[in-house]
Amino acid sequence: MRRNTEKPSGTLPYTSFQMAKEVYADPEVTGKNRYKYFERPFLPFHQQMPLNVVFAATKTEPYTFPTTSAKYPSIPSKCTVGTQTDYRDAEVQTDPYSPEYVVCQESIPELLTLATLTWGRGLPAGQAEVEMIERAREKRAWEATLPCLSDTSQFEKRRRMMNAMERKEWAFREQEIEKLQEIRLEVLKELLKKRDENQNEVNMKHLNAQWSKLQEAKEAKLAQIQHRHVSAIRKLVGKGKNIEGKLERRNIIKDYSDYASQVYGPLSRLGRFPDNNSEDFVVKNHYLNTYEGLVELESCLPDFVTQPRIRPPKPKVTNTKAGFLKRAARMEHELAEVHKAILDKKNKVLEPKKLLRFLQRKSLPQPRLPTPTLEMSSNEEEDIEMAVIYLQKLLRGRVVQNTMFEGKEKRLELIQELRTSHALQEDDRLLKKAEKQVTLALQRQRNLHEHKVSLVENHLAGLEGRVLADMFDFLSKELVRLQEERRIHAFAMLAERQRRMREAEESGRRQVEQRRLREEDQIFKEVVKVHQSTVTSYLEDIILNTEENTAEEQARAEIEKMAEEINDIAYEMESRRTQLQSEEIVAELVYSFLIPEVQKDFVKEKVRNAQQKHILAAHQIIHRHTEAMLKKNFVEQQQDEVSDIDQLLEEETQNEKNN
């Protein structure tokens, strides 16, 4: 019968035991350990008694009767006061409070079976601990129902019950192992899922980075194509303006008169950057660049600057209620002013010069320095000088023109006011009207011509643009298709490589897991086999020892019984034996012991003599062959020594000849 007495995991010890009585020290609740149980004292008039208050029993000393000689009882020097407290179970404690206990004699509390559970390792108890406690109770109840070992008639029943319990425990242990394996599989699945998610995230990051790089390259390529397109269109427009390809000289006057020309607004694409380092000459002033500075500057200015006090002049002659002069009145007013000015000029009399009372010094103007002249040696230098003078005139004229333009821009409002207030003459108005009609006719002709030219150019540009657009569209689509094809091919190769790597890793991991499972199963089988063999050997030893002891006891009892019977028979035979019977017994002993022993020795000697000749023949054969081999080896060794000596002699003679 093979049994395993190993306890399954998760069960409590169920064997009966006796706990040694432990003497616990005084907790000294009211002594030096009072701070461990401290709480505010109970005040009936202050607050209501909480439900979780535990009273601490005061330490009472045994009463001692006073001696007859003492008249008064002794007054103790110290007084202990009972403190009411809650046994604290706070987070700062490493181990919760456990009260002192005393085990009654010959009693085994069920609570002591949970002594192996501590805080953090089984406490506070969960569902697994509760199930473990229930199994331990069932095990103890089952042990109570086992038949007693002293009852041999119930031994078979006890064995069947123990076998059934052992099978039940092994089934429970297998269930726990399966649960543990399921938990491990779930954890492994979660780890694999998490690893796949991380790998997918990394792959997505790589794909997004690659996609962004491709998009940047695409945008750069499109910008380059757009730049080339604009440049080509600009060249086509330039060629369209000069279809015949005539060489046109630069018109300096036209360039300087046109404010949109290269002189005033140079193009950067032609290599001119007029605004370079323009910030170096910008005046950075706190009062002009910030709002606070403007407010401060405005506060420093007088009132008449921010609040102008200009009063419009009132006309002297008002012919209308609104204060404006009519055309006839305005003409009369102007004629009157002109007539008055003429009369004042005519009637003006020259005043006679007064005689000088004192001499006065007349300051003579300083004579002008002579203008230096340069004699020209050739007509070429004279042309250069004339060109320089002409350029100076142009520049000076341009400066005057700019000054006049700036003045016109500054006084534009006044000019508009004068134009509205002063009407032109009839001839001037007719002349302006004729000029306007001629200008409008020229503008209509120019617009019509420009419209025709623009239609032709638009039609040609449309045809060229359509052809170029179709060609560029085809090229761009072909480029995108090739790039996408290469990218998809690269992604496919990368995915295939990753798939193969993952399959190799997964197959290796699966092999390792299978090998580990086989090793664990083999280890478990070996452990179970060892446990079973141990239990089997233990039970066999017990049974054999029991059988030997029982057989020895029975044999001794039977031998003693037979010895008593034989002694009784021998004593009775000795008392009734005659001389003839004694001689007969001696002859029987000699015949039964001595003669068979002599015959046995004779047979042994005969067998030994028969085997001796065979042993001698075998020895002779063996020694003959060994002696021949020894002689042969000896002769070969002597021949080798002689050959070595001859070789040495030859070498010595050769050396002497050489010397």
Side-chain angles (χ1 to χ4, degrees):
M1 177 61 191
R2 300 177 64 186
R3 291 180 66 253
N4 190 357
T5 58
E6 182 188 3
K7 294 182 293 181
S9 60
T11 59
L12 291 172
Y14 50 81
T15 56
S16 60
F17 58 90
Q18 293 290 336
M19 294 293 294
K21 293 183 178 181
E22 186 177 357
V23 179
Y24 296 97
D26 187 5
E28 298 185 8
V29 177
T30 58
K32 65 180 182 179
N33 294 332
R34 179 187 177 193
Y35 69 95
K36 296 181 180 179
Y37 316 101
F38 182 80
E39 197 179 28
R40 294 184 63 184
F42 173 65
L43 300 176
F45 58 85
H46 183 261
Q47 59 183 359
Q48 190 177 0
M49 173 70 73
L51 299 176
N52 58 349
V53 171
V54 180
F55 292 96
T58 58
K59 182 179 179 182
T60 57
E61 297 179 356
Y63 180 79
T64 56
F65 291 92
T67 58
T68 56
S69 60
K71 294 182 180 180
Y72 300 99
S74 61
I75 298 174
S77 60
K78 297 180 180 180
C79 181
T80 58
V81 180
T83 302
Q84 175 181 305
T85 178
D86 289 337
Y87 295 123
R88 187 173 63 172
D89 188 6
E91 294 180 355
V92 298
Q93 289 178 319
T94 56
D95 192 9
Y97 171 75
S98 299
E100 305 295 337
Y101 62 90
V102 178
V103 181
C104 297
Q105 189 175 6
E106 296 181 357
S107 65
I108 304 173
E110 185 182 5
L111 188 62
L112 292 181
T113 58
L114 306 176
T116 56
L117 301 178
T118 57
W119 181 260
R121 289 180 293 178
L123 292 178
Q127 185 178 2
E129 286 75 14
V130 173
E131 292 178 356
M132 182 177 63
I133 294 169
E134 293 295 333
R135 287 196 302 274
R137 288 178 178 175
E138 292 177 0
K139 193 64 176 292
R140 287 194 294 273
W142 173 77
E143 285 183 349
T145 60
L146 282 175
C148 184
L149 288 171
S150 60
D151 191 0
T152 58
S153 62
Q154 299 292 330
F155 182 75
E156 187 65 24
K157 181 180 178 182
R158 180 184 178 88
R159 185 176 63 81
R160 288 196 301 270
M161 291 176 68
M162 292 180 70
N163 290 337
M165 179 55 68
E166 185 177 3
R167 285 193 296 270
K168 185 178 179 182
E169 288 178 354
W170 278 111
F172 176 73
R173 183 169 182 177
E174 288 177 356
Q175 291 178 0
E176 286 189 343
I177 292 172
E178 289 178 357
K179 290 180 181 179
L180 184 61
Q181 289 179 351
E182 290 178 357
I183 293 171
R184 288 179 179 176
L185 288 175
E186 292 295 330
V187 172
L188 184 60
K189 288 179 180 178
E190 291 294 331
L191 292 175
L192 291 174
K193 184 177 179 182
K194 188 175 181 181
R195 188 189 67 179
D196 293 339
E197 291 178 356
N198 295 334
Q199 188 65 32
N200 292 333
E201 185 176 357
V202 171
N203 293 336
M204 288 301 296
K205 287 182 179 179
H206 289 322
L207 290 175
N208 292 334
Q210 189 69 18
W211 176 255
S212 62
K213 289 181 181 179
L214 293 175
Q215 286 294 327
E216 291 176 358
K218 177 183 176 182
E219 291 176 358
K221 193 70 174 177
L222 289 175
Q224 188 177 5
I225 293 171
Q226 186 70 20
H227 178 70
R228 292 177 182 174
H229 173 70
V230 172
S231 178
I233 294 298
R234 192 181 297 115
K235 290 179 181 179
L236 290 174
V237 171
K239 290 180 180 180
K241 290 181 180 179
N242 190 5
I243 299 174
E244 297 180 358
K246 292 182 180 180
L247 180 61
E248 295 181 358
R249 296 183 181 275
R250 179 188 175 189
N251 192 351
I252 299 176
I253 298 173
K254 183 179 179 181
D255 291 344
Y256 276 92
S257 62
D258 186 10
Y259 290 98
S261 63
Q262 292 289 325
V263 177
Y264 297 97
L267 297 177
S268 300
R269 68 172 182 268
L270 300 179
R272 182 72 182 276
F273 301 95
D275 294 336
N276 278 354
N277 302 324
S278 61
E279 295 293 332
D280 297 342
F281 303 101
V282 176
V283 179
K284 297 180 180 179
N285 193 350
H286 171 71
Y287 295 100
L288 300 177
N289 297 336
T290 60
Y291 176 75
E292 292 81 5
L294 290 173
V295 173
E296 186 178 354
L297 183 62
E298 186 178 354
S299 64
C300 297
L301 297 175
D303 295 338
F304 67 86
V305 177
T306 58
Q307 298 177 1
R309 302 173 184 175
I310 299 174
R311 296 179 180 178
K314 295 181 179 180
K316 294 180 181 180
V317 180
T318 57
N319 295 329
T320 60
K321 295 181 179 180
F324 294 101
L325 292 174
K326 294 183 178 180
R327 182 177 300 175
R330 190 183 304 113
M331 185 68 67
E332 292 177 358
H333 179 67
E334 290 177 356
L335 291 173
E337 287 183 353
V338 171
H339 180 68
K340 184 179 180 180
I342 293 170
L343 290 176
D344 291 340
K345 189 174 181 181
K346 287 181 179 181
N347 297 328
K348 186 176 181 181
V349 181
L350 295 175
E351 294 180 359
K353 294 183 179 180
K354 294 181 180 181
L355 297 177
L356 296 175
R357 188 176 179 182
F358 300 102
L359 294 177
Q360 294 181 356
R361 185 178 178 180
K362 290 184 177 181
S363 59
L364 297 176
Q366 189 176 0
R368 185 177 179 183
L369 295 176
T371 302
T373 59
L374 180 64
E375 295 180 358
M376 295 295 172
S377 60
S378 62
N379 295 329
E380 186 177 351
E381 293 180 355
E382 186 178 357
D383 295 338
I384 293 172
E385 184 180 3
M386 294 302 293
V388 171
I389 293 170
Y390 181 71
L391 182 60
Q392 289 177 356
K393 289 180 180 180
L394 286 176
L395 293 175
R396 287 170 185 167
R398 193 60 192 172
V399 170
V400 173
Q401 187 179 5
N402 289 339
T403 306
M404 293 177 64
F405 183 76
E406 289 178 359
K408 186 190 74 172
E409 291 294 331
K410 289 181 181 179
R411 302 295 186 269
L412 187 61
E413 294 180 358
L414 295 175
I415 293 171
Q416 295 293 336
E417 185 179 357
L418 290 173
R419 285 180 179 177
T420 55
S421 61
H422 297 281
L424 297 174
Q425 296 295 330
E426 187 68 23
D427 297 337
D428 295 335
R429 283 190 277 113
L430 293 174
L431 183 61
K432 291 290 183 182
K433 187 175 181 181
E435 290 179 356
K436 181 179 180 181
Q437 291 177 357
V438 172
T439 305
L440 291 175
L442 293 175
Q443 287 181 354
R444 282 196 295 271
Q445 291 179 2
R446 187 184 63 182
N447 292 333
L448 183 60
H449 179 69
E450 289 180 354
H451 180 65
K452 292 180 180 179
V453 173
S454 63
L455 287 176
V456 174
E457 290 179 352
N458 291 333
H459 184 66
L460 294 175
L463 294 176
E464 293 175 356
R466 195 177 299 109
V467 173
L468 291 174
D470 293 339
M471 181 178 66
F472 289 152
D473 184 44
F474 174 74
L475 293 176
S476 63
K477 288 181 179 179
E478 189 69 18
L479 179 62
V480 170
R481 186 185 66 78
L482 292 175
Q483 290 178 353
E484 290 293 330
E485 185 178 357
R486 290 183 180 178
R487 187 171 64 86
I488 293 169
H489 182 63
F491 284 164
M493 293 179 65
L494 183 61
E496 184 67 20
R497 181 172 175 273
Q498 290 181 355
R499 184 181 65 79
R500 291 178 181 175
M501 292 175 64
R502 288 183 180 177
E503 287 180 356
E505 292 177 358
E506 191 65 27
S507 61
R509 194 179 299 109
R510 193 180 300 110
Q511 291 177 2
V512 172
E513 291 177 357
Q514 291 178 358
R515 191 183 305 111
R516 190 183 298 112
L517 289 175
R518 288 197 297 270
E519 290 177 356
E520 291 179 356
D521 294 340
Q522 188 65 25
I523 291 170
F524 178 73
K525 289 179 181 179
E526 294 295 333
V527 171
V528 172
K529 188 184 295 183
V530 169
H531 291 332
Q532 291 179 353
S533 61
T534 304
V535 173
T536 304
S537 60
Y538 176 69
L539 294 176
E540 288 178 356
D541 293 338
I542 292 174
I543 294 170
L544 290 175
N545 292 331
T546 305
E547 290 178 355
E548 289 178 358
N549 294 331
T550 305
E552 186 177 359
E553 291 177 359
Q554 291 179 358
R556 287 186 179 182
E558 291 178 358
I559 289 169
E560 289 177 357
K561 185 177 180 181
M562 290 176 66
E564 290 178 359
E565 293 178 355
I566 291 169
N567 287 334
D568 294 338
I569 293 170
Y571 291 151
E572 187 178 357
M573 288 177 66
E574 286 289 337
S575 62
R576 292 185 300 176
R577 187 179 58 188
T578 59
Q579 185 65 26
L580 183 59
Q581 290 178 350
S582 300
E583 292 177 357
E584 194 173 326
I585 290 170
V586 172
E588 185 67 26
L589 289 173
V590 171
Y591 181 77
S592 299
F593 288 98
L594 293 178
I595 294 173
E597 189 67 25
V598 173
Q599 289 180 354
K600 195 181 296 181
D601 293 338
F602 178 72
V603 171
K604 286 181 181 180
E605 186 66 25
K606 187 176 180 181
V607 171
R608 192 181 298 111
N609 293 331
Q611 292 177 352
Q612 189 68 27
K613 58 183 181 179
H614 298 291
I615 293 172
L616 290 173
H619 284 182
Q620 288 177 1
I621 293 168
I622 293 169
H623 286 296
R624 185 172 63 250
H625 287 287
T626 53
E627 287 177 358
M629 291 296 293
L630 290 173
K631 287 179 180 180
K632 185 177 180 181
N633 291 333
F634 181 72
V635 171
E636 290 178 355
Q637 188 175 4
Q638 286 182 351
Q639 290 177 359
D640 292 337
E641 291 178 355
V642 171
S643 62
D644 293 337
I645 292 169
D646 294 339
Q647 188 175 1
L648 290 172
L649 290 174
E650 289 178 358
E651 290 178 356
E652 289 178 358
T653 54
Q654 188 70 24
N655 292 330
E656 288 177 357
K657 288 179 181 180
N658 294 330
N659 295 328

